[in-house]
């Protein structure tokens, strides 16, 4: 009779006494893991005649896929848009610290900067798997500089750019390289943006619409060219108007190509978006909602002055402003806080709240077969959570990388 060793010598872990988020619902079953992947127990029992080497009691925790943050500007004093000699140690620190927030993968985000900053920073970021060292890096999110002056938000106006005759070459010259770039946020009303969107999409880069004064038809045209995401819905775009709803109108547009879904980021921190606006968006297009932190260097630090790229920002409680103004500039909310606030504000199910921070960002990036679910053969990146969605432990590739200690830290 073959044993489980006939397939692999790696130990099999069985997580018991838990409710697993699978197929959009919490199911009371065990989670089986081997070599960093989620196992199908039926195959294990019947094909391999195998059994668990190690059993772990989850003490009735919720087990959910690890969170994926596709828009995070930094945290813990580290600013991803600031070129420094020890940039790598900064990104390592953030990736380590966000494990306690349940984030197992992320897209470090750079705000509008001079070309020299992109040329210096981008070669220092590489796509990598997560582990005990920290959350995995899925690729960079470049937010700007090809955005609208009218809706620049916290982006420095002097660094904004437009597309000239060789539009895509302009973009390449500005960034220097697209090797590790996963998302580009741009304003679709800019001249020649269509050809840029097409070219980026062909290279497998997700195009997001944001910091824009686009009307609905311009936004629809961008989606028809390949754009699939909206950067922080409602923030830094024209407000919804009944005769021309602008980018917001994409949530219920009938001009989206068949088989395509438009996703939209939301900063669910109780500051950037009124709970009523969060509810409107969620009810209009629940399957597209992606929770993002838009966190800045001041996340995890005391109130005071910090940086966001070329700007100085001031933190006052949960509010972050460009110093000396009332212009909001990113957030200091953590991903687990955003998930809990979204649950409370919308009255949605626990499953829906968790999927907005895991399944939906994975679908946006086209990695839902590896991450964002606990389906068989997917990566064993998962969280143990309390009923009130506080993270108790974080696992990457089946290995515990963070656990809340008895004192609650």
């Amino acid at each position: 009779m073959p044993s489980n060793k006939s397939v692999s010598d790696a130990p099999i872990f069985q997580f018991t006494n838990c409710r697993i988020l699978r197929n959009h619902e919490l199911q009371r079953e065990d989670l089986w893991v081997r070599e960093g992947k989620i196992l199908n127990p039926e195959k294990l029992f019947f094909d391999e005649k195998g059994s668990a080497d190690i059993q772990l009691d989850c003490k009735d925790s919720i087990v959910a896929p690890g969170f994926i943050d596709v828009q995070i500007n930094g945290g813990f004093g580290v600013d991803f848009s600031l070129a420094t000699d020890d940039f790598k140690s900064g990104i390592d620190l953030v990736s380590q610290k966000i494990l306690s927030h349940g984030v197992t993968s992320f897209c470090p985000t750079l705000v509008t900067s001079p070309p020299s900053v992109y040329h210096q920073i981008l070669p220092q970021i590489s796509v990598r798997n997560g582990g005990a060292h920290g959350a995995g890096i899925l690729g960079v999110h470049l937010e700007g500089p090809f955005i609208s002056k009218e809706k620049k938000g916290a982006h420095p106006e002097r660094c904004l750019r437009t597309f000239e005759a060789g539009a895509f070459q302009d973009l390449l010259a500005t960034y220097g390289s697209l090797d590790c770039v996963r998302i580009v946020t741009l304003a679709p009303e800019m001249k020649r943006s269509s050809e840029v969107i097409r070219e980026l999409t062909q290279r497998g880069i997700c195009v997001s619409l944001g910091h824009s004064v686009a009307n609905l038809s311009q936004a629809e045209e961008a989606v028809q060219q390949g754009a699939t995401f909206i950067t922080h819905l409602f923030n830094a775009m024209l407000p919804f108007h009944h005769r021309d709803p602008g980018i917001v109108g994409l949530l219920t547009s009938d001009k989206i190509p068949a088989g395509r879904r438009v996703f939209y980021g939301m900063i669910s921190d109780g500051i950037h978006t009124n709970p009523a606006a969060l509810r409107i968006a969620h009810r209009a297009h629940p399957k597209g909602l992606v929770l993002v932190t838009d966190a800045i260097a001041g996340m995890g630090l005391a109130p005071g002055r910090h940086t966001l790229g070329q700007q100085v920002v001031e933190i006052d409680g949960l509010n972050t402003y460009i110093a000396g103004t009332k212009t909001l500039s990113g957030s200091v909310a953590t991903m687990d806080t955003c998930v809990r606030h979204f649950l409370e504000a919308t009255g949605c199910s626990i499953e829906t709240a968790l999927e907005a921070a895991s399944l939906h960002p994975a679908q946006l990036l086209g990695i839902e077969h590896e991450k964002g679910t606990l389906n068989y053969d997917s990566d064993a990146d998962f969280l143990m959570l309390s009923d009130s969605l506080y993270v108790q432990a974080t696992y990457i590739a089946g290995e515990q990388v963070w656990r809340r200690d008895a004192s609650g830290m």
Side-chain angles (χ1 to χ4, degrees):
M1 182 184 285
S3 75
N4 55 346
K5 306 300 178 201
S6 66
V7 172
S8 168
D9 286 335
I12 294 168
F13 294 85
Q14 179 186 8
F15 294 83
T16 65
N17 188 18
C18 54
R19 289 155 291 153
I20 301 174
L21 177 56
R22 190 175 276 153
N23 297 327
H24 315 297
E25 58 183 17
L26 290 174
Q27 306 182 10
R28 191 162 279 286
E29 54 185 84
D30 295 349
L31 185 74
W32 297 76
V33 174
R34 177 172 62 198
E35 291 185 315
K37 298 283 183 185
I38 292 169
L39 278 181
N40 180 344
E42 284 196 11
K43 279 190 181 170
L44 176 66
F45 302 150
F46 297 115
D47 298 354
E48 298 181 39
K49 308 291 190 283
S51 57
D53 297 298
I54 300 162
Q55 282 190 323
L56 295 138
D57 182 351
C58 300
K59 299 182 176 154
D60 204 33
S61 294
I62 291 169
V63 173
F67 298 148
I68 299 169
D69 193 351
V70 299
Q71 188 176 7
I72 170 171
N73 309 290
F76 315 99
V78 176
D79 182 348
F80 296 148
S81 304
L82 218 51
T84 57
D85 294 338
D86 61 345
F87 184 84
K88 280 190 170 140
S89 63
I91 207 163
D92 288 349
L93 175 75
V94 174
S95 64
Q96 221 284 315
K97 291 272 202 182
I98 57 179
L99 295 174
S100 66
H101 308 157
V103 177
T104 53
S105 305
F106 70 110
C107 293
T109 304
L110 274 66
V111 295
T112 294
S113 304
S116 59
V117 169
Y118 297 116
H119 294 195
Q120 230 179 313
I121 290 177
L122 289 179
Q124 297 188 68
I125 304 177
S126 47
V127 173
R128 68 182 187 204
N129 292 326
H133 59 274
I137 296 174
L138 299 170
V140 180
H141 179 168
L142 297 174
E143 188 187 359
F146 301 99
I147 57 172
S148 156
K149 190 167 70 173
E150 291 81 8
K151 290 293 177 185
K152 65 183 185 296
H155 293 237
E157 188 170 327
R158 69 184 182 280
C159 299
L160 299 183
R161 298 174 79 89
T162 54
F163 296 122
E164 302 307 323
F168 190 70
Q169 291 311 311
D170 286 348
L171 179 137
L172 273 179
T174 301
Y175 295 144
S177 164
L178 293 173
D179 287 351
C180 63
V181 174
R182 203 62 187 262
I183 304 173
V184 171
T185 293
L186 53 78
E189 72 275 13
M190 294 181 99
K191 281 183 184 152
R192 306 185 184 85
S193 65
S194 285
E195 59 190 271
V196 172
I197 293 169
R198 278 198 306 275
E199 185 72 40
L200 287 169
T201 305
Q202 279 164 12
R203 290 170 181 239
I205 294 170
C206 164
V207 175
S208 188
L209 311 179
H211 288 278
S212 162
V213 291
N215 60 35
L216 179 56
S217 65
Q218 289 167 325
E220 288 169 336
E221 167 67 15
V223 170
Q224 283 150 15
Q225 299 300 334
T228 52
F229 195 39
I230 303 170
T231 295
H232 44 53
L233 186 78
F234 296 124
N235 293 109
M237 60 187 62
L238 291 178
F240 179 89
H241 187 280
H242 58 286
R243 277 194 291 278
D244 191 337
I247 290 177
V248 178
L250 288 175
L251 271 60
T252 55
S253 168
D254 57 1
K255 303 276 194 313
I256 308 300
R260 181 94 58 78
R261 186 187 306 177
V262 172
F263 293 89
Y264 58 98
M266 293 210 80
I267 310 166
S268 171
D269 61 354
I271 305 289
H272 278 76
T273 316
N274 185 284
L278 201 52
R279 286 192 286 274
I280 287 169
H282 176 246
R283 288 174 193 175
H285 184 28
K287 289 195 162 90
L289 195 147
V290 173
L291 291 177
V292 298
T293 60
D294 198 21
I296 61 169
M299 176 181 68
L301 300 181
R305 291 199 162 206
H306 303 281
T307 65
L308 177 60
Q310 311 296 303
Q311 311 266 52
V312 176
V313 300
E314 245 168 320
I315 298 176
D316 175 14
L318 279 177
N319 293 290
T320 63
Y321 301 111
I322 294 292
T325 76
K326 286 297 175 189
T327 300
L328 282 175
S329 58
S331 137
V332 288
T334 61
M335 183 57 93
D336 54 324
T337 304
C338 290
V339 170
R340 290 190 297 271
H341 181 262
F342 173 56
L343 177 73
E344 185 186 354
T346 62
C348 68
S349 67
I350 282 176
E351 292 92 334
T352 297
L354 293 169
E355 286 185 343
S358 54
L359 175 62
H360 295 176
Q363 289 171 329
L364 165 71
L365 297 175
I367 56 171
E368 68 272 27
H369 301 299
E370 296 104 54
K371 299 190 184 296
T373 76
L374 297 179
N375 294 342
Y376 304 138
D377 300 321
S378 61
D379 294 349
D381 297 357
F382 60 91
L383 314 174
M384 289 184 195
L385 301 123
S386 67
D387 285 359
S388 46
L389 301 189
Y390 283 86
V391 181
Q392 308 298 317
T394 303
Y395 286 76
I396 293 181
E399 177 191 0
Q400 183 181 291
V401 292
W402 181 82
R403 174 170 285 280
R404 184 176 296 279
D405 65 27
S407 69
M409 292 299 289

